[in-house]
Amino acid sequence: MYQKLQISGEVFRTLGSNMKILLTVIISGLLIWSIMLLSSSTNFNSQLLVATSNDSKEPETPRDKLIGGLLTADFDEGSCQSRYQQSLLYRKPSPYKPSEYLISKLRNYEKLHKRCGPGTDAYKKATEILGHDDENYAEKSVGECRYIVWVAVYGLGNRILTLASVFLYAMLTERVVLVDQSKDISDLFCEPFPGTSWLLPLEFPLMKQINGYNMRYSRCYGTMLNNHAINSTLIPPHLYLHILHDSRDNDKMFFCQKDQSLVDKVPWLIVKANVYFVPSLWLNPTFQTELMKMFPQKEAVFHHLARYLFHPTNQVWGLITRSYNAYLSRADETLGIQVRIFSDRPGYFQHVMDQVVSCVQREKLLPEAAAREEPKVNITKRQKLKAVLVTSLYPEYSDNLKNMYWERPTSTGEIIEVYQPSGERVQQTDKKLHDQKALAEMYLLSLTDNIVTSARSTFGYVAHSLGALKPWLLYQPTGPTAPNPPCIRSTSMDPCHLTPPSHGCEADWGTDSGKVVPFVRHCEDRGNDGLKLFDEL
């Protein structure tokens, strides 16, 4: 071996100087390349080991398609894509977790609905009593099941809020909720309960009459109270509940504990509502005990109910996902702005426009426009993109914002993109495509990072509460100029009950309903009016 090396050395010495340099460079390069290859191989093996180790563990924040048990896995995913996709693909994990007690109540309700829903023997027996005109059913057997029928009235925001309210009342009182399908409910939402339907059969015995029920109907609860026509021995087969903006004091006694002992005996309740009446249920001591176990985070009531009940149909989900992927998914940050118009008087549009701009800039939700063009020092640096989703019947609001940020640069250097899905100018409730677009826009708003909504707007209430967003609420303009301050940040995401009882029950008749319990207080956008759920401070 030594001899071979010696010969090689002699050969090397005999080579010319240029060849010596060339060989030195080649040998050095090979040596460096070998060291780099060894290092790369070591790093790759190390990364592979870490990756394999990580794959064997659950992610720290896994996306849970059942939302912590709120949903059941008993549905076919393809029949309603939104049910499981929304939490997996588009929505950030909610900071509000459903309680184990709420989950158990939902599973129990599903069993009740399957046992008593349309097509069951229990439902057939219960509907038989509606075909007779006897005045008193207190002594009659009507089967094991009791029902509450929700009748669709007013706009889509009202319907979603009231249906959630009725469902919660049904859970509290062990009633089966059935939904009027004469409107477009089945074009908007998938069935929420496995193995059964929540749609009221079209052959329901009272179907032809219920649309005509109002506070003058003889079996309206408030009217029967006023006429002393109901007591523990005079129980009708059905009652109509009038929970609308024009409800009388007697209608609102429905929420009281003593009145519930009578209502509880009636096998069928028919309800028309256009207000979110959940906060008023908390004023009833019997309900309050259950509600506190179901919702330890009180402001999350509608948030949980909506994520359980309202799953857009595949057609609506297509509208949502296409818009989100096209306009919101690329943004570093998103802002939702919902504008409700309450007047058509001259100058009102500009007042609201000024109010919106003042709110978003004062609260640092959008930057101000720069005074002049600044020279771009570093054109290679990526600028932050903020997408603004505007929903309104009127396209002028988004057009003005779009022009404002197109004509002048922003003071922060951010790029602002403004998008409005539709602007149909006239509300067209009960027109299928119009309502589907409205629902899609509510959901798109709920997917934004921050949100500004109009006071008293049920459309806005649904959007921010569904998305677990505490909104900036635009005060309703009352004078000839934009309100100052223009908006207020809500400390609760739950919707407002706009026309609640103004008093307590029985001995507390004169008590302000916003002062009965510390967590049911007046709404920020309503002054000393309306009721809303707050977590204790």
Side-chain angles (χ1 to χ4, degrees):
M1 182 68 177
Y2 173 76
Q3 187 177 7
K4 289 180 180 179
L5 288 173
Q6 192 175 31
I7 293 171
S8 298
E10 289 175 357
V11 173
F12 186 79
R13 282 193 294 273
T14 63
L15 295 172
S17 60
N18 290 340
M19 184 62 72
K20 290 178 182 179
I21 294 171
L22 179 60
L23 286 173
T24 302
V25 171
I26 292 171
I27 292 169
S28 299
L30 288 171
L31 182 61
I32 293 170
W33 180 79
S34 299
I35 293 171
M36 290 176 63
L37 184 63
L38 179 63
S39 174
S40 175
S41 176
T42 303
N43 287 339
F44 175 79
N45 289 335
S46 175
Q47 291 172 6
L48 183 62
L49 181 63
V50 170
T52 305
S53 174
N54 286 344
D55 284 346
S56 67
K57 299 177 183 177
E58 287 291 324
E60 287 185 10
T61 54
R63 291 300 182 112
D64 176 16
K65 73 175 185 178
L66 301 183
I67 320 180
L70 196 66
L71 304 181
T72 174
D74 295 341
F75 286 96
D76 169 57
E77 296 192 23
S79 64
C80 185
Q81 296 169 17
S82 68
R83 191 188 313 275
Y84 302 123
Q85 283 187 10
Q86 59 177 301
S87 58
L88 290 173
L89 301 179
Y90 296 96
R91 197 176 296 286
K92 297 174 183 176
S94 172
Y96 299 89
K97 307 303 177 187
S99 68
E100 290 297 326
Y101 191 70
L102 173 59
I103 292 169
S104 69
K105 292 286 285 186
L106 290 171
R107 298 295 87 82
N108 288 338
Y109 176 83
E110 289 164 1
K111 293 175 185 175
L112 173 67
H113 199 106
K114 198 168 185 178
R115 190 172 69 247
C116 300
T120 62
D121 290 339
Y123 174 81
K124 292 173 185 175
K125 183 173 182 180
T127 53
E128 286 175 2
I129 66 170
L130 295 173
H132 304 281
D133 199 30
D134 295 345
E135 289 298 322
N136 183 26
Y137 281 83
E139 306 300 326
K140 294 181 183 289
S141 172
V142 294
E144 60 172 326
C145 304
R146 295 170 306 136
Y147 300 83
I148 182 166
V149 175
W150 172 86
V151 181
V153 290
Y154 291 86
L156 185 58
N158 302 83
R159 293 179 181 185
I160 292 173
L161 293 175
T162 59
L163 185 46
S165 304
V166 168
F167 175 67
L168 180 57
Y169 176 78
M171 279 206 297
L172 290 170
T173 57
E174 296 185 346
R175 288 183 181 271
V176 174
V177 62
L178 296 176
V179 174
D180 169 24
Q181 61 170 313
S182 61
K183 304 300 191 293
D184 56 9
I185 192 76
S186 58
D187 295 318
L188 299 173
F189 299 111
C190 306
E191 291 275 5
F193 314 128
T196 184
S197 176
W198 69 343
L199 299 176
L200 181 70
L202 295 175
E203 64 273 14
F204 178 63
L206 303 179
M207 181 62 76
K208 293 180 180 179
Q209 297 103 284
I210 56 178
N211 281 330
Y213 289 172
N214 55 45
M215 66 176 69
R216 292 180 294 277
Y217 177 49
S218 61
R219 283 179 176 162
C220 174
Y221 183 62
T223 300
M224 295 191 81
L225 277 185
N226 190 55
N227 295 337
H228 305 287
I230 184 171
N231 56 49
S232 58
T233 59
L234 288 174
I235 301 297
H238 71 274
L239 274 177
Y240 165 62
L241 305 175
H242 190 81
I243 312 179
L244 297 168
H245 59 281
D246 60 352
S247 295
R248 305 157 296 184
D249 283 341
N250 275 346
D251 294 309
K252 295 174 183 179
M253 292 300 289
F254 160 77
F255 298 107
C256 296
Q257 189 173 26
K258 178 174 70 67
D259 293 75
Q260 278 298 313
S261 65
L262 283 179
V263 173
D264 198 54
K265 295 181 172 67
V266 181
W268 286 91
L269 302 178
I270 316 293
V271 59
K272 286 183 183 178
N274 67 343
V275 291
Y276 175 70
F277 60 80
V278 165
S280 295
L281 296 176
W282 288 73
L283 303 180
N284 183 314
T286 303
F287 293 159
Q288 187 184 123
T289 302
E290 279 287 284
L291 288 166
M292 292 188 76
K293 291 192 292 183
M294 293 165 70
F295 302 100
Q297 294 170 300
K298 299 171 185 64
E299 66 172 316
V301 175
F302 180 78
H303 177 62
H304 290 318
L305 294 178
R307 292 187 302 160
Y308 172 77
L309 282 177
F310 302 121
H311 307 291
T313 60
N314 288 350
Q315 186 173 359
V316 178
W317 189 239
L319 296 174
I320 295 167
T321 56
R322 285 190 293 275
S323 292
Y324 182 88
N325 292 332
Y327 300 100
L328 302 180
S329 61
R330 296 177 293 104
D332 299 293
E333 188 178 332
T334 55
L335 171 67
I337 301 176
Q338 178 262 337
V339 183
R340 163 81 187 275
I341 295 301
F342 292 96
S343 172
D344 58 358
R345 68 173 185 264
Y348 186 85
F349 166 81
Q350 191 58 50
H351 299 158
V352 175
M353 189 70 237
D354 294 342
Q355 181 184 7
V356 170
V357 173
S358 176
C359 175
V360 296
Q361 294 185 346
R362 171 182 166 170
E363 301 299 329
K364 310 298 183 186
L365 298 170
L366 287 179
E368 296 182 9
R372 57 189 175 87
E373 291 281 356
E374 296 290 339
K376 298 293 186 293
V377 178
N378 184 1
I379 62 173
T380 61
K381 184 179 179 181
R382 181 180 177 275
Q383 292 170 286
K384 182 178 179 181
L385 172 62
K386 182 173 285 188
V388 182
L389 172 73
V390 179
T391 65
S392 174
L393 287 173
Y394 301 90
E396 289 87 351
Y397 293 101
S398 61
D399 289 343
N400 279 19
L401 280 174
K402 193 179 299 182
N403 290 335
M404 185 171 77
Y405 288 108
W406 180 53
E407 293 167 357
R408 294 166 64 187
T410 61
S411 57
T412 59
E414 295 170 289
I415 300 297
I416 308 298
E417 287 188 357
V418 181
Y419 166 61
Q420 181 170 342
S422 70
E424 302 190 2
R425 297 194 177 277
V426 178
Q427 185 169 324
Q428 303 169 56
T429 301
D430 294 334
K431 286 194 175 180
K432 176 182 172 180
L433 186 56
H434 177 86
D435 282 349
Q436 288 180 326
K437 288 179 180 179
L439 178 58
E441 292 182 13
M442 289 181 196
Y443 265 77
L444 286 167
L445 283 171
S446 78
L447 298 174
T448 57
D449 298 313
N450 292 301
I451 191 169
V452 176
T453 66
S454 296
R456 292 182 54 209
S457 171
T458 56
F459 189 108
Y461 290 162
V462 170
H464 71 66
S465 190
L466 178 63
L469 300 168
K470 294 185 178 179
W472 281 265
L473 296 166
L474 295 164
Y475 287 111
Q476 183 178 349
T478 55
T481 59
N484 186 21
C487 57
I488 183 173
R489 180 75 186 275
S490 178
T491 57
S492 168
M493 66 178 185
D494 212 50
C496 177
H497 182 174
L498 291 170
T499 55
S502 57
H503 50 75
C505 294
E506 301 165 44
D508 297 327
W509 181 266
T511 304
D512 182 343
S513 59
K515 298 179 180 178
V516 176
V517 292
F519 45 83
V520 179
R521 305 198 296 274
H522 293 305
C523 310
E524 302 102 325
D525 54 330
R526 296 287 291 152
N528 291 321
D529 196 6
L531 289 183
K532 189 172 181 177
L533 285 162
F534 295 82
D535 286 312
E536 293 98 336
L537 302 178

